[in-house]
Amino acid sequence: MTADSTVSTQGADYAATASTAYQNILQVIETVEPRIAAATRKELADQRESLKLIASENYASPAVLLTMGTWFSDKYAEGTVGHRFYAACQNVDTVEALAAEHARELFGAPYAYAQPHSGIDANLVAYWAILATRVETPGLAELGAKHVNDLSEADWEKLRAKLGNQRLMGMSLDTGGHLTHGFRPNISGKMFHQRSYGTDPVTGLIDYDALAAAAREFKPLVLVAGYSAYPRRVNFAKMREIADEVGATLMVDMAHFAGLVAGKVFTGDEDPVPHAHVTTTTTHKSLRGPRGGLVLATEEYAPAVDKGCPMVLGGPLSHVMAAKAVALAEARRPEFRSYAQAVADNAKSLADGFLSRGGNLVTGGTDNHLVLLDVTSFGLTGRQAESALLDAGIVTNRNAVPADANGAWYTSGIRFGTPALTTRGFGADDFDRVAELVVEVLSNTTADGSSKAKYTVADGVADRVRAASGELLDANPLYPGLVL
Ligand code: DSN
């Protein structure tokens, strides 16, 4: 099945128009800095020639990409729709309101905030909105004040101490959680006392009973669900039950799987939006939009989320919000549902392809868009496997596996995702072939005992695999018809 790659489904006219647009844009850039024009051409050529399996990447449509290259970039618009700290924001208001409208309609959310510049920013907005709603507002009332500026120095210090003394619980990093879910190297770990929940050591799956018991003991203000490397679906209805029982706000970070939510692959208990108080996402992963973030919220949290800028965000990137609106409009089309289903079907095919060739998968498979292969059975670290695959033109990223003996830098796993190649039109058989090529590289790679980074790929393997991937890539061209 050819999934919606947006360019191909729009037909030859669309591709020809996009070609002309890009040729003109590159010509203009060339007049100032030809090396940037050259790098831009080369990036497309490189992306066209590699098997992109990074689970968090995709290919946005020319409509989305071109929308980012306009004079909306020049406009300051701190504040929110209809309430800006700058004059002449009428067109930015139109753009931001449209992006939010599409997001609300697509995800069935009461409120959407389109300003975050990234997933990290979206999570920061969410954390501060939760702290504002649950701690600051009641704290002000207790102190008999309406605004933080009305507080005495002593009372402000009391409130600051309270804001800095809250608890957050999220998935552990080695089982698939994200750095922004309360880990010390990230600001979230400095803001909150954090405790992690993991997965069952035998099945690799979230153990909701163990999670509930830990939450009862820890009593977090914020319970975070969501992941960047867990290859399974999450029951968000159960997560909400647990949050309600312990008095926590449920925040879901759906950055990785927003496309599967938008495309109705995840519905009912697996759709986070009706269950979470606040849902955050990036817009560029499985959702296939521009690089950026988005926050969805209930009416209760909406007013605090709306203050994201200037609370934690710099001035909104209006050109990117415009591109978010275009991408969200694309995701509301029926073709996007076929695309999202193909992403999940292809991940299953990739996982089955590894399993049938002796691969060892975390959780034994997948039911979302990603697959986590434990490469220690090939005698390799994740770092060695990632580099060997790259030598053969296969772009992936190394990732920790649960209780990883090689730590977070070298790791023992490789994370694979299907959103990008599915956009190119890869189907289930193609992904089985991809599994075959990956296994061919890894089983012909030998670790160098002197270093967790060094390795040797047997002679001729990288070239042979590059040639075989070339056939798959040629059959599923990236931006077909786009000629620079
Ligand atoms: N960069 C994202 C990912 O690869 O999952 C997370 O930050």
Side-chain angles (χ1 to χ4, degrees):
M1 179 182 108
T2 300
D4 167 34
S5 68
T6 312
V7 180
S8 54
T9 53
Q10 295 285 334
D13 285 354
Y14 179 92
T17 307
S19 288
T20 308
Y22 277 110
Q23 285 159 10
N24 290 337
I25 285 167
L26 287 164
Q27 234 176 316
V28 173
I29 297 169
E30 246 152 21
T31 63
V32 181
E33 178 45 289
R35 290 171 296 182
I36 291 295
T40 306
R41 286 200 169 87
K42 181 152 187 320
E43 179 62 20
L44 178 61
D46 289 352
Q47 292 206 24
R48 280 179 158 161
E49 285 167 17
S50 56
L51 278 179
K52 176 151 105 169
L53 288 154
I54 292 181
S56 47
E57 293 188 9
N58 211 328
Y59 304 106
S61 72
V64 169
L65 299 177
L66 286 166
T67 304
M68 281 186 279
T70 78
W71 26 92
F72 271 120
S73 172
D74 299 331
K75 188 75 193 97
Y76 252 119
E78 281 174 29
T80 190
V81 179
H83 188 77
R84 307 281 183 187
F85 293 87
Y86 291 82
C89 292
Q90 62 281 2
N91 298 311
V92 178
D93 278 355
T94 302
V95 160
E96 184 169 351
L98 273 172
E101 179 190 308
H102 279 306
R104 285 194 309 271
E105 293 293 326
L106 178 64
F107 292 110
Y111 166 83
Y113 185 62
Q115 290 194 25
H117 313 323
S118 67
I120 287 189
D121 288 0
N123 286 351
L124 264 182
V125 169
Y127 292 144
W128 281 109
I130 294 167
L131 286 170
T133 307
R134 300 272 318 266
V135 181
E136 185 176 315
T137 303
L140 281 173
E142 241 171 65
L143 294 164
K146 283 213 164 91
H147 193 276
V148 285
N149 288 346
D150 302 336
L151 294 177
S152 67
E153 199 62 29
D155 280 349
W156 174 231
E157 280 313 309
K158 266 191 227 160
L159 187 54
R160 270 180 10 97
K162 223 177 192 180
L163 285 164
N165 196 24
Q166 300 300 323
R167 297 175 174 196
L168 176 148
M169 200 165 163
M171 195 169 198
S172 68
L173 270 184
D174 68 334
T175 60
H178 192 258
L179 213 55
T180 56
H181 299 174
F183 294 95
R184 291 177 191 178
N186 178 259
I187 183 75
S188 58
K190 304 177 207 299
M191 287 164 62
F192 290 103
H193 298 284
Q194 195 262 19
R195 187 172 293 178
S196 297
Y197 56 86
T199 52
D200 181 277
V202 177
T203 61
L205 303 175
I206 293 174
D207 177 343
Y208 294 96
D209 291 337
L211 197 163
R216 269 179 221 123
E217 191 199 313
F218 188 59
K219 295 197 174 38
L221 178 84
V222 191
L223 176 62
V224 181
Y227 51 79
S228 60
Y230 177 67
R232 295 291 176 177
R233 301 183 186 194
V234 174
N235 185 325
F236 295 109
K238 268 192 192 159
M239 295 299 274
R240 176 61 187 259
E241 260 174 47
I242 296 168
D244 284 347
E245 190 193 327
V246 302
T249 297
L250 178 63
M251 178 188 133
V252 176
D253 177 347
M254 65 168 182
H256 259 263
F257 52 90
L260 301 188
V261 178
K264 307 293 174 213
V265 176
F266 291 180
T267 57
D269 292 353
E270 293 167 353
D271 176 352
V273 181
H275 304 292
H277 297 92
V278 184
T279 306
T280 61
T281 185
T282 52
T283 44
H284 50 273
K285 297 187 173 93
S286 53
L287 199 51
R288 211 167 59 183
R291 303 198 72 77
L294 199 62
V295 181
L296 309 172
T298 58
E299 302 287 2
E300 183 189 2
Y301 289 88
V305 173
D306 219 29
K307 296 193 173 80
C309 169
M311 176 139 71
V312 292
L313 297 175
L317 309 178
S318 305
H319 55 308
V320 182
M321 290 198 292
K324 287 175 193 172
V326 173
L328 292 163
E330 287 178 354
R332 291 182 67 190
R333 292 178 176 169
E335 306 92 276
F336 194 84
R337 293 195 183 191
S338 317
Y339 164 71
Q341 188 58 53
V343 166
D345 294 346
N346 286 340
K348 177 102 178 52
S349 177
L350 183 67
D352 290 346
F354 286 137
L355 292 171
S356 67
R357 294 174 178 90
N360 180 14
L361 300 183
V362 173
T363 78
T366 180
D367 49 29
N368 56 22
H369 65 296
L370 70 88
V371 175
L372 192 53
L373 178 68
D374 184 332
V375 294
T376 54
S377 63
F378 295 94
L380 302 171
T381 63
R383 173 82 188 268
Q384 289 161 334
E386 177 192 88
S387 301
L389 290 168
L390 190 59
D391 291 347
I394 302 178
V395 186
T396 63
N397 70 292
R398 63 187 185 280
N399 207 99
V401 301
D404 201 311
N406 286 318
W409 178 249
Y410 292 107
T411 82
S412 299
I414 293 286
R415 187 184 67 164
F416 297 88
T418 54
L421 291 182
T422 302
T423 293
R424 284 185 76 138
F426 277 53
D429 291 346
D430 300 321
F431 272 97
D432 180 64
R433 179 80 173 121
V434 169
E436 188 181 3
L437 297 174
V438 167
V439 171
E440 182 172 351
V441 174
L442 298 183
S443 47
N444 284 290
T445 300
T446 314
D448 177 333
S450 70
S451 152
K452 287 185 179 185
K454 292 190 181 156
Y455 62 95
T456 316
V457 183
D459 281 351
V461 172
D463 288 344
R464 196 163 68 232
V465 168
R466 263 182 196 279
S469 343
E471 285 173 25
L472 289 172
L473 294 165
D474 288 348
N476 298 286
L478 173 60
Y479 302 122
L482 184 69
V483 182
L484 296 186

